[in-house]
Structure formats: C-alpha cells, structure tokens
Amino acid sequence: MAALTRGCLLVANPLLSDANFDRTVVLLLARDADGAIGVVLNRPSPTGLDEVLPEWETLANSPPVLFVGGPVNQEAVICVARIDGGVPAGASSDGEGWSPVTGDLGTLDLDLDPDSVAEGLQDVRMFAGYAGWGPGQLESELAAEAWWVVAADRDDPFAPHPERLWTDVLRRQRGPLQVVSSYPDDPTAN
C-alpha cells in the first residue's frame, strides 16, 4: 500500500456499496485537516468537450470528453494537466492558474487562455465534479476497507482506455490486490 498523499490513487473495493464509486479509481488532489478532494479517473461521460469547453478540446487527451469527477458539485469543472517543465505560460507558481499536485501533475485554471498555455502542456483531462471527504471521513472509509491506497503511474490520469483503469491498476499490484483485478461484476453468477 502507498502513503495517503496528494497524487496517490484510491481504488474502490468491489464490495463498496456506494454506486457513485463502483469500481472507481480516484486521484487524490488534496488532503489536509479539513478533509480530502479527488477526481474519479475512469468515468468518461458521453458529453464531448466540443459541447462544453470547445476551446480546450484540441488540448485534451483521448477520449476528448468530459469525465464525471465525482458526485460533489458537478457544475464545476476541474482540469488535471501534466506540464512540460516549469509553470505553464499565463500561470504563476504561487497558485494563480496552476496548482501542483505531485511532480509535473497539477490542476490548471480553465480561465486561462488555452492558446497561451498549450505549449507547456503534455496532457489535459477535464472532470465535472469531484469526490470529497470531510475531516476524518476518508480515514474511516480506509479503516472499513472501502478503498485501497496505491501509487499512481504517471499515465493513469490520462489513460486512453479509462474503462479498463480499475482492472489495470489492480493487475499491476502484488499479492491479493492483483487477484481482485479479476473480481466478477456479479459474483453470484459464478
């Protein structure tokens, strides 16, 4: 198991009873005394970015759709990006426009001009809503074994086949978690 820090993944136990998080992989964006925030990486929506953020569509990784980042505040869009060194043009390192998560991964302010930041971006993905936990809530869910904390691969937030991410992340783990990767959708059908 990895440390519960920004940039780690929370992988849902298939026995988790909350339909919002069935077989999800959450990238943890922030965690402090007030709680934690993350985005679900493997829930692409049918809504194309050309419909809601056409100015960002050409910068987005495939599939160029809006992802369902979680059940909280689905009107808000969070842009997760990987930069090519330094701070993107038009942003500043003091949190104006760019908020680092870990290494070259962070969140980008969508009020920035996409043309001005394009040169410094390697990968971009948009998430409507987020997953949020109040103080101690995530720790309680971890104690109840609702989630597994694992290290993220640098390409996980931009996986070209997000529908396979839950299985792929578990498959690369060692021991019992690797076995869980083949857990059937309906265990009663076995």
Side-chain angles (χ1 to χ4, degrees):
M1 293 291 180
L4 184 61
T5 59
R6 291 182 320 173
C8 73
L9 297 179
L10 302 173
V11 181
N13 184 322
L15 302 178
L16 182 63
S17 60
D18 186 338
N20 289 308
F21 297 107
D22 183 40
R23 294 179 190 247
T24 57
V25 177
V26 175
L27 173 66
L28 195 61
L29 298 176
R31 178 176 174 256
D32 59 24
D34 295 327
I37 293 175
V39 289
V40 174
L41 297 177
N42 59 330
R43 290 278 165 88
S45 80
T47 304
L49 283 179
D50 61 333
E51 297 175 44
V52 291
L53 293 163
E55 65 277 16
W56 288 92
E57 180 190 19
T58 60
L59 297 176
N61 286 55
S62 183
V65 299
L66 190 62
F67 279 66
V68 179
V72 181
N73 196 9
Q74 290 189 338
E75 296 79 36
V77 178
I78 296 173
C79 175
V80 174
R82 183 168 40 210
I83 57 174
D84 188 17
V87 176
S92 68
S93 58
D94 63 1
E96 290 295 320
W98 172 252
S99 181
V101 173
T102 183
D104 58 359
L105 184 72
T107 58
L108 188 64
D109 187 337
L110 292 173
D111 287 334
L112 295 172
D113 176 13
D115 294 330
S116 72
V117 297
E119 188 175 319
L121 298 178
Q122 287 184 356
D123 298 290
V124 173
R125 188 152 279 166
M126 310 296 176
F127 299 88
Y130 59 91
W133 295 268
Q137 184 181 4
L138 179 55
E139 292 76 7
S140 295
E141 291 181 15
L142 291 169
E145 299 182 359
W147 301 97
W148 295 297
V149 180
V150 302
D153 181 88
R154 78 182 305 267
D155 293 325
D156 288 338
F158 312 103
H161 302 285
E163 69 283 353
R164 297 190 325 222
L165 190 60
W166 185 85
T167 301
D168 292 346
V169 168
L170 287 173
R171 190 171 287 140
R172 70 177 185 240
Q173 307 307 308
R174 296 183 187 265
L177 287 185
Q178 188 176 56
V179 174
V180 175
S181 71
S182 60
Y183 194 84
D185 289 336
D186 181 5
T188 62
N190 276 340

